[in-house]
Amino acid sequence: MKNDRPTIFALSSGRPPAAIAVVRICGPATRLALEHLIGRIPQPRHAALVRVRVPASGEIIDEALALWFPGPRSETGEDMAELQLHGSHAVVTAVLGALGAIEGCRLAEPGEFTLRAFENGRLGLTEVEGLADLIAAETPAQRRQAFRQLKGLIGDQAEAWRRQIVKAVALVEAGIDFSDEADIPEDLVGPALYAAQQLRSIIAATLADSRRGERLREGLVVTIAGPPNAGKSTLLNRLARREAAIVSPYPGTTRDVIEVHLDLDGYPVTLLDTAGIRDSDDPVEQEGVRRALQRATEADLVLWVIDASASGVAAAEGQENTVKSVTWMVKNKADLLVDKLWINCESPSDAMERTFWISATTGAGMVKLLDALAAYARSYFSAVETSLVTRLRHREALEQTVAALDRALAQPVSRSEELIAEELRSAATTLGRLTGRVDVEDILDVIFRDFCIGK
Ligand code: GDP
C-alpha cells in the first residue's frame, strides 16, 4: 500500500436532504481525519456514537455514528472510515468542508473507492463490473445476475481457464527444450493440444447463449413503431404509466427515440417509441426516421401500431417489411370502431406474428397485451440465469481466446511447437485481459466512467 497517495472522501449515500448521509474516507490520512473530526479512533469495525466537530473552531457539526476499518482488511484494502450523519445539506457540506481542509485529503472522483479496491487486489475487473451493474440494477433478474458477477462467476471461470492454458503452454515449452531428444516433443505437445481442444469447446459453448446475459443487463428491447398518429406515444405512456412521450394530435411530433424502462414480472424491458415513421423533406426528421428504423431493426420485438379506424391501413401494413424482428400487430383506436367484434379476437400465443386489438386511450385490450409482453420476457430470459457473459467486452475476449486456440490447434504438431506455444500464450493473454490481469490501463477509464461518486 502506498502512503504518499491522497486520502479521498465523498458522500456515498443519496442526495440530501435524507434521513442519513454516509460520508466515506479512504487512504493514509483517514486516521488523522478521524482524530481531527471526532477526536478519537473507534474500535475497529464497531459503530461508535461520536460528535463531529469543525477542527479549527471546535464547533459541533453533528452527532453521528463512526466506523473505522483499518487496512488491509477493508473494502478498498486501505484505511477507511465511515460517518453516518444527519442527511441535511448543511451537515454534509460542513463535514466535507472540514475533511477538505485536512492535509492530504481531497474529494473522490467517481468510482475512485472501487478503483482503489481494484488496485489493491480486493476486487477483480469483472467483479468491478458486477458491482457497477448491481448499483444500476432495476429488476430482480438484473440484480441476481450482477450479484453473481460481483461474486466472481465469470472472473473465476476465466482465471481457471487461463491457468489451464498456461499449463498447456508450459508443456509445449518443455517440449521445445527437450526437442533434441527424440520422441519427447510430441509426448508433451499432444496432451497440451488435447487440453486446448477441450477448453475450446467449453468456451465456445459458453458463447452460444444468444447474448442473453448482455440482454438481461440492457433489457429486452421492444420498439413501438408504425405510421404517424397511430397512437404510439399514447400506447407508450399507458405502458409506462407515466407521461414519457408527448402525445399530440399532429403527426410527426415525436422526433427522436424515447426510451422507457419497464420491470415486467421481474425482467427488464426497454421500450422505445420511434419517431413517427414517414417520408419527410426535413433533414432533422429524416435523421429521426433513420434512427427509428435502425433501432426497430435491432429490437427483439416490434409492436407495429396502426390506427384500426383509419382507411389506408393496408398501405401502412406494407411498411412492416422494413422490420426483421418478431413483430406483433397492434390495432389501436379500437374504441372508434362501430363493430365491436374485435373484443373476442385472440391470436395463438405461440405465434411469431400476433395481433392485438387495443384502445390506448380507454385502456381496452391492454391487460392482454401486457400479459403477452410479460410472458415473452419471461420465456426469453428463462435460460439466462446461468449465462456467464454479460458484456460485449467479455464476449470479444472469449471470442479472441477461441480464435487463438483454433490457430494453435491448426498447426502441424511435429514442426511448430513454437507457433503453438505462441498462440496458446495469446489465448491466455485474452483471458487475462478479461479479468484485468493484462492491458488493464486501456479499459479502466471505460469501466469506471459508469460509476457514481462515493463508490
Ligand atoms: P403517434 O404519432 O403514433 O405517437 O400517435 P399519438 O400517440 O400522438 O396519438 C395520435 C392521436 O390519436 C392523439 O390525438 C391521440 O389522442 C389519439 N389516440 C391515440 N390512441 C387512441 C385510441 O386508442 N383511441 C382514440 N380514439 N384516439 C387515440
Side-chain angles (χ1 to χ4, degrees), residues 204-256:
T206 303
L207 284 168
D209 63 354
S210 314
R211 299 173 192 257
R212 284 176 189 219
E214 286 137 286
R215 267 289 182 256
L216 182 54
R217 228 188 118 236
E218 293 155 9
L220 185 80
V221 180
V222 176
T223 297
I224 300 179
N229 245 359
K232 297 183 294 298
S233 311
T234 315
L235 172 62
L236 180 86
N237 284 343
R238 191 163 269 282
L239 286 172
R241 288 191 209 90
R242 66 185 166 93
E243 296 290 310
I246 322 144
V247 183
S248 116
Y250 309 104
T253 44
T254 325
R255 282 261 167 99
D256 215 331

Side-chain angles (χ1 to χ4, degrees), residues 29 65 79-80 84 97 135-136 150 189 197 201 209 222 275 348 361 363 368 386-387 435 450:
L65 281 186
D79 282 355
M80 289 188 78
Q84 298 182 5
I135 293 170
L150 173 61
V189 175
Q197 175 67 58
S201 16
D209 63 354
V222 176
T361 44
K368 249 182 220 166
T386 51
S387 198
T435 57
D450 295 343

